[in-house]
Amino acid sequence: MGVIGLKINKVQNVNVEKIKGKENIDTDSIMFTELLTKKRDKQTLEKLNKLIEDIRSLGKDLVEKRTVDNLLRYKKMIREFKKEAMEYSLRLEKQGGFRRGGRTKILKIVKKVDEKLIQLTDEVLSKEKKGLNILKLVGEIEGLLIDIYT
């Protein structure tokens, strides 16, 4: 074997070792990224559950006292929930863990929530309506919000 043969073998061996080293780094990096993603997803689900609890509490307040202030706090909390849920669904979609047609389903539910909020606003602003209609709408909205992330 000549000088050229030795150089080729040396280059091939170095390249193989470099590739093996990169595989280990990439695997570790991927595992760390997956761990971070799972932790972030768990935190997001916990936050969504907390927001649902807050929405339920504000919904009860709204049923008991139909004030514009209670309505505004309720609507603000729902906006925050929708924002978090949409960001969560986008992350799932990017990770490939989102079921087919899931985004369309969420958008339809969000549209229904918005329609129910308009009805709720009309009910609260109309002092003549009974509390049962408001209770019904609050319940429907909470059900739709839970459907978003289940």
Side-chain angles (χ1 to χ4, degrees), residues 10 24 52-53 57 66 70-71 85 87 92 95 99 101-102 105 124 132 148:
K10 191 175 185 179
N24 290 337
I52 284 290
E53 288 176 24
S57 175
R66 295 175 294 239
N70 284 344
L71 175 66
E87 288 174 5
L92 283 180
Q95 294 169 11
R99 60 189 180 273
K105 177 187 171 196
V124 169
L132 291 177
I148 287 177

Side-chain angles (χ1 to χ4, degrees), residues 113-125:
V113 168
D114 290 341
E115 290 170 0
K116 296 293 180 184
L117 282 173
I118 290 169
Q119 290 176 0
L120 181 63
T121 301
D122 292 343
E123 292 286 329
V124 169
L125 295 177

Side-chain angles (χ1 to χ4, degrees), residues 67-78:
T67 65
V68 174
D69 185 48
N70 284 344
L71 175 66
L72 293 176
R73 290 187 309 148
Y74 183 75
K75 289 172 77 171
K76 180 181 178 188
M77 189 64 62
I78 289 175

Side-chain angles (χ1 to χ4, degrees), residues 60-115:
K60 287 178 185 176
D61 291 347
L62 183 60
V63 169
E64 291 173 10
K65 297 177 185 167
R66 295 175 294 239
T67 65
V68 174
D69 185 48
N70 284 344
L71 175 66
L72 293 176
R73 290 187 309 148
Y74 183 75
K75 289 172 77 171
K76 180 181 178 188
M77 189 64 62
I78 289 175
R79 276 193 306 273
E80 185 176 340
F81 177 89
K82 289 190 303 184
K83 178 183 170 238
E84 287 292 326
M86 292 302 289
E87 288 174 5
Y88 176 65
S89 70
L90 287 174
R91 275 199 310 272
L92 283 180
E93 191 172 33
K94 287 179 183 175
Q95 294 169 11
F98 202 59
R99 60 189 180 273
R100 188 175 188 164
R103 184 160 173 80
T104 304
K105 177 187 171 196
I106 288 176
L107 292 174
K108 286 180 183 178
I109 294 171
V110 166
K111 184 178 177 181
K112 283 183 185 178
V113 168
D114 290 341
E115 290 170 0

